[in-house]
Every structure is written in C-alpha cells, then in structure tokens.
Amino acid sequence: MATPELICETLKAQGRRLTPQRRAIIQALLDDDSHPTVEQILSRVRRILPDISPATIYNTLDELVELGVVRELDVGLGERHYDIRTADHAHLVCIRCHRVEDVPFNYDALGTDAQHLRGFAVLERQLILRGYCPECLASQ
Ligand SMILES: [Zn+2]
Ligand SMILES: [Zn+2]
C-alpha cells in the first residue's frame, strides 16, 4: 500500500527531499485512484499550489516515475495515466469512457521462467484488459 510516509522514505533513501511540488502530486495521486491524466493531476494540484505550471507537473511526474514512486501507464487510449500503486496488478480499461480500474493479478502465475524470457531482463509487467465498463454497457 502506498502511503505518504512510505513514499517519503523511498525518496529519502534516494537522497531526494519531499518538495512542495512532489508532495502535492503524490497527494493528488493518493486522493484520486482513477489513474488520472496529467491534466487531471494539474487541476487537483492547483487547488494546493495555484501557480504551478504544466511543465513543472510533467517534470515532477517524470522524476517520480524515475524514482519508482509513480507508474506511468499507456493503456492504448492516447493519453498517459498515472498510478501511485506500484505493486503488481492488472488494469481494466473502458474503451468508451476511458475509465481505468485496478484488478488484482499475480504475474508470477504467467509462468514466465528464465527459459521462456530468452535472456531478457524484465523491468515492468503490465496486463491490460480492454472492453466496456458496466455503465457504458448499460447505456448502449
Ligand atoms: Zn465506460
Ligand atoms: Zn493501477
């Protein structure tokens, strides 16, 4: 579970401080588990830091992704989504309303042992299940 304390520890361990910008973005992601886009994060962060620029948001997000605190997701809808839950899970994606939800998934169950990976060092595992959410199905 991602908590502000745990994230703060992760940053400290890498010699980074929890700047107001980083704190505001982390808080926005902790408060919004819908896998927001940059624009959605920007509007939330502006409630705390009204003068923050989109460039700062982009740079800080990139930095948090690099530090392993935030995950960047491309769910095939043409926008980048951000996720503060970095533990393994899969995503359900609605191709109509672009909703992105978490679904538990044990990647080890894929049985990708060393032999099948043919020497690849895997850094990230993503499973995306695309389709229609219950609301979109009901309104069709
Ligand atoms: Zn939907
Ligand atoms: Zn997620």
Side-chain angles (χ1 to χ4, degrees):
M1 251 297 271
T3 62
E5 293 73 32
L6 197 71
I7 290 159
C8 195
E9 286 307 310
T10 308
L11 289 176
K12 256 196 225 156
Q14 302 185 67
R16 306 300 181 104
R17 282 186 317 114
L18 194 59
T19 61
Q21 291 81 7
R22 290 175 190 154
R23 178 189 289 278
I25 289 177
I26 288 166
Q27 197 56 55
L29 284 164
L30 287 171
D31 292 345
D32 181 354
D33 64 359
S34 71
H35 306 80
T37 61
V38 175
E39 290 70 31
Q40 290 164 335
I41 294 169
L42 179 63
S43 74
R44 267 184 180 272
V45 169
R46 279 200 166 144
R47 294 180 207 161
I48 305 164
L49 301 171
D51 299 326
I52 198 163
S53 69
T56 303
I57 295 276
Y58 273 105
N59 293 339
T60 310
L61 275 169
D62 284 348
E63 202 179 63
L64 293 171
V65 168
E66 240 171 75
L67 292 166
V69 168
V70 169
R71 239 170 97 180
E72 188 182 282
L73 295 177
D74 178 355
V75 295
L77 299 172
E79 320 165 285
R80 290 191 284 176
H81 294 258
Y82 292 88
D83 195 346
I84 199 139
R85 287 163 305 281
T86 51
D88 271 354
H89 60 275
H91 290 106
L92 289 167
V93 176
C94 178
I95 57 171
R96 194 169 181 206
C97 69
H98 295 193
R99 184 203 288 201
V100 181
E101 285 188 15
D102 290 337
V103 59
F105 185 74
N106 176 11
Y107 284 86
D108 294 329
L110 286 171
T112 41
D113 56 39
Q115 184 194 340
H116 293 113
L117 296 175
R118 296 190 295 275
F120 272 68
V122 175
L123 300 176
E124 194 191 359
R125 304 188 284 191
Q126 275 202 43
L127 176 68
I128 297 165
L129 306 166
R130 285 154 55 99
Y132 296 103
C133 73
E135 282 73 22
C136 287
L137 268 183
S139 66
Q140 260 176 359

